[in-house]
Amino acid sequence: MNDQLHIGGKAFESRLFVGTGKFADHKQMKEAIEQSRSEVVTVALRRVDIRKPDEHILNDIPQDVTLMPNTSGARSAEEAIRIARLAKASGMGNWIKIEVISDQKYLLPDNEETTRATEVLAKEGFVVLPYMSPDLMAAKRMQEAGAAAIMPLGAPIGSNRGIRMKEMIQIMIDEMELPIIVDAGIGKPSEAAEAMEMGASAVLVNTAIATADNPVEMAKAFDLAVKAGRLAYLSGLGPTSMRANASSPLTGFLK
Amino acid sequence: MSFYEEFEKIKAEPFTEIFSEVTPQDVEKVLMKGRISESDYLVLLSPAAEGFLEEMAQKAHQLTIKQFGKTMQLFLPLYLSDYCVNTCTYCSFSIDNVFPRKRLTMEEIEVEAKAIAEMGIEHIILLTGESRIHSSAEYLAESMSILKKYFSSVGIEVQPMDQAEYETLVQSGIDSLTVYQEVYNEAIYREIHTKGPKRDFRYRLDTPERGCRAGMRSVNIGALLGLDEWRKECFITGLHAEYLQKKYMETEIGVSFPRIRPNAGSFEPAFDVTDKNLVQAMLAMRIFLPRTGITISTRETEELRNQLIPLGVTKMSAASSTEVGGYTKPKETQSQFEISDERSVEEIRNLLRFKGYQPVMKDWQIL
Ligand code: SF4
């Protein structure tokens, strides 16, 4: 079955994106990434020591994955833009996950600033994936601004609370053309499967893998769960819709 | 509005009595909750909660892993100057202590910076005694033109300043502010700060807010434990942190639990704060404010610091020197206080790895 995910001119077999924060050490992170079979890995530029290219975290990220540096730590569009440029200048490629968080208590993204950063960076040729609070209109603005995919949060970052924003995310999946990648909140493989069953294009998981008792095995579990969820979706569980869909339309003959 | 108004409302509460009335059943109830309130926080600081330290530790540990992962940020203090115009009875830098004072020149700062950078440290905090002349905003901003080359995050722990001065410092690249209230009891505050501008309790109490407004990325507060009853001090510190977190959502608020250390004077802490007390304070804070950074310095002993790692701590200093120029020319000047954990950065990194934690050397990038 040819079911690839296309973003920014690249095609991916795996629909599991993984994060690199919160691991106890780089060796464990490396193994977990390998076992997850993920092809897109996000890394916080603020954790990358660009002055010491030999020592940094990038050496422990498998060579064949697409790096998606993120702007974690940015509190405004300007900061995110500067971080993105720094990441590109230091050879991390042109993918960028925009994270603009101006609330340090819940770590909720600031959609307005995120859209502003998206616009500037997309114009500069970045493949921009904005992390956002699920909101259809905001997602549309990000699409107009040039986003390559949209990353709504399932629940507050690091909360492992599952897809609390289910209704909103479902609307986005149904209405948006861009790939929807559920980011943040997924705490169990079953929740990753749930997102995939809903029709999400991919999921991003970090805390649930990094802080498991056995991160490497958990990475495998997520790989399988994402595959299962996707297969279920393709097999006809969805697409679901918030509007009523008559199973055999009475007006179908009209066109 | 500032925290002072909140403080006014609670400062006269009969804390000792309130704490003593808490029962083990109250503690059990709080430990079953997801989010806890201010009065629940008080319950966790009570003597009754001492019987539940293990349960509290488990909860604090889980909350920390969920929010911060198995990581620990390392930093070092860089002492730039020991000139001080105040007389804090508990500090070696007090103007009453006579010793040859020193302030680093820009060339000397560069030498110290190099030495620290060679240890692999990326985050530092600049410290000085309190003297508007010797550690002015201009001097600190000037030092940043050098420090920027060596570090990815630089904070300050100097005399309280006005908002405009903090704005200048933020412009220069300084991103965090640490200011300890020392003691939240106004009467004791006046007793131990006998002379100098530090006597202004209110100006000091409002300092973290001036830092938040000036755009500091993180602001750290704390009470110097041993100056008053620690349960009450920790309670007010927690309320202060919560207030700041609510009002300045963009700023990362951190807390620290410094205990009084031996110094050049002969100050004896008025209140004993045992290791057990310190642990309880830290656990209660973590459960009350799951997203707040907790720093533990080298004031504490090696053995205790090893044990504290999984209990909610998110930042540790390593291989600290508390004297001006102490990284390249140790023992030439007066240290601010004695440090207890003298291990090298490499030793601390190894310890963290051994405990299953990733030592994080870099967690921000000066933009
Ligand atoms: S605590 Fe600070 S203000 Fe007080 S004497 Fe020491 S350096 Fe000066």
Side-chain angles (χ1 to χ4, degrees), chain B residues 8 47 49 55 64 89 99 107 109 142 152 180 186 197 219 235 250 252 265 290 295 304 334 357:
Chain B
E8 288 268 270
E55 287 87 340
T64 312
T89 45
F99 63 93
E107 292 71 36
I109 289 176
E142 194 189 343
S152 62
Y180 297 145
E186 279 170 293
V219 168
F235 180 65
E250 285 201 38
E252 198 179 294
T295 304
L304 181 63
Q334 173 68 48
Y357 279 73

Side-chain angles (χ1 to χ4, degrees), chain A residues 22-24 26 45-49 51-52 73 75 79 82 102-107 158 211, chain B residues 35 65-67 69-70 122 150-151 217 249-251 291 356-358 360 362-365 367:
Chain A
K22 302 191 182 180
F23 281 96
H26 287 183
L45 180 81
R46 64 178 186 167
R47 291 269 168 98
V48 178
D49 201 332
R51 272 193 299 258
K52 299 181 198 135
R75 303 196 182 163
E79 284 191 351
R82 268 142 83 188
S102 34
D103 121 62
Q104 298 305 307
K105 186 171 180 190
Y106 300 100
L107 302 180
T211 67
Chain B
R35 269 171 74 164
I65 297 286
K66 219 164 75 176
Q67 293 294 340
K70 291 166 187 159
E122 284 281 340
Y150 297 94
F151 304 105
R217 296 180 52 79
M249 293 199 92
E250 285 201 38
T251 318
R291 269 223 44 83
Y357 279 73
Q358 180 193 154
V360 172
K362 176 175 178 292
D363 199 31
W364 177 240
Q365 172 72 50
L367 295 175

Side-chain angles (χ1 to χ4, degrees), chain B residues 14-48:
Chain B
F15 282 101
T16 315
E17 264 171 65
I18 301 176
F19 278 123
S20 68
E21 281 164 11
V22 176
T23 66
Q25 289 73 33
D26 296 333
V27 182
E28 269 174 2
K29 253 190 244 160
V30 170
L31 284 173
M32 271 164 22
K33 290 191 182 178
R35 269 171 74 164
I36 73 167
S37 67
E38 289 171 5
S39 51
D40 294 334
Y41 175 48
L42 196 133
V43 167
L44 294 182
L45 285 169
S46 71

Side-chain angles (χ1 to χ4, degrees), chain A:
Chain A
M1 184 173 60
N2 183 4
D3 174 39
Q4 289 176 325
L5 169 65
H6 294 266
I7 297 174
K10 293 190 184 186
F12 303 99
E13 301 295 333
S14 165
R15 289 169 182 271
L16 172 61
F17 292 13
V18 294
T20 50
K22 302 191 182 180
F23 281 96
D25 61 61
H26 287 183
K27 187 175 153 278
Q28 193 183 62
M29 173 195 81
K30 185 173 183 222
E31 260 179 79
I33 295 173
E34 282 164 1
Q35 291 300 325
S36 73
R37 294 170 179 273
S38 175
E39 295 165 278
V40 180
V41 173
T42 186
V43 49
L45 180 81
R46 64 178 186 167
R47 291 269 168 98
V48 178
D49 201 332
I50 34 192
R51 272 193 299 258
K52 299 181 198 135
D54 309 338
E55 273 179 32
H56 60 50
I57 183 172
L58 298 184
N59 299 337
D60 291 311
I61 295 175
Q63 293 292 318
D64 50 351
V65 303
T66 294
L67 261 193
M68 177 167 64
N70 67 54
T71 65
S72 131
R75 303 196 182 163
S76 64
E78 283 68 36
E79 284 191 351
I81 292 165
R82 268 142 83 188
I83 292 173
R85 288 177 184 155
L86 260 171
K88 195 170 174 184
S90 49
M92 296 172 74
N94 70 335
W95 278 51
I96 191 82
K97 175 182 160 190
I98 310 273
E99 252 183 81
V100 181
I101 288 171
S102 34
D103 121 62
Q104 298 305 307
K105 186 171 180 190
Y106 300 100
L107 302 180
L108 292 172
D110 184 327
N111 285 350
E112 215 173 303
E113 292 289 297
T114 303
T115 309
R116 287 211 295 127
T118 301
E119 186 164 11
V120 173
L121 293 169
K123 279 203 186 110
E124 291 180 15
F126 281 89
V127 175
V128 184
L129 292 91
Y131 168 60
M132 53 109 62
S133 277
D135 176 275
L136 182 61
M137 290 307 134
K140 286 200 165 164
R141 281 185 200 111
M142 288 174 195
Q143 177 171 326
E144 265 166 47
I150 303 285
M151 308 186 80
L153 58 88
I157 212 163
S159 68
N160 283 358
R161 283 157 64 86
I163 308 169
R164 295 284 164 141
M165 309 301 285
K166 193 166 180 178
E167 304 284 295
M168 296 300 139
I169 290 178
Q170 187 70 66
I171 292 174
M172 290 173 60
I173 290 172
D174 293 343
E175 302 300 328
M176 296 287 298
E177 322 261 282
L178 289 179
I180 302 295
I181 300 165
V182 178
D183 186 354
I186 291 178
K188 303 188 195 97
S190 58
E191 290 157 3
E194 183 187 7
M196 298 311 294
E197 284 168 5
M198 286 164 64
S201 296
V203 295
L204 190 146
V205 181
N206 183 10
T207 308
I209 295 177
T211 67
D213 286 341
N214 187 337
V216 178
E217 291 293 306
M218 188 57 90
K220 268 192 223 170
F222 269 99
D223 173 37
L224 296 172
V226 168
K227 287 195 171 104
R230 179 67 183 173
L231 194 58
Y233 172 73
L234 293 175
S235 314
L237 233 172
T240 53
S241 167
M242 301 302 284
R243 280 173 283 118
N245 261 348
S247 46
S248 44
L250 295 174
T251 51
F253 67 96
L254 287 175
K255 67 174 172 183

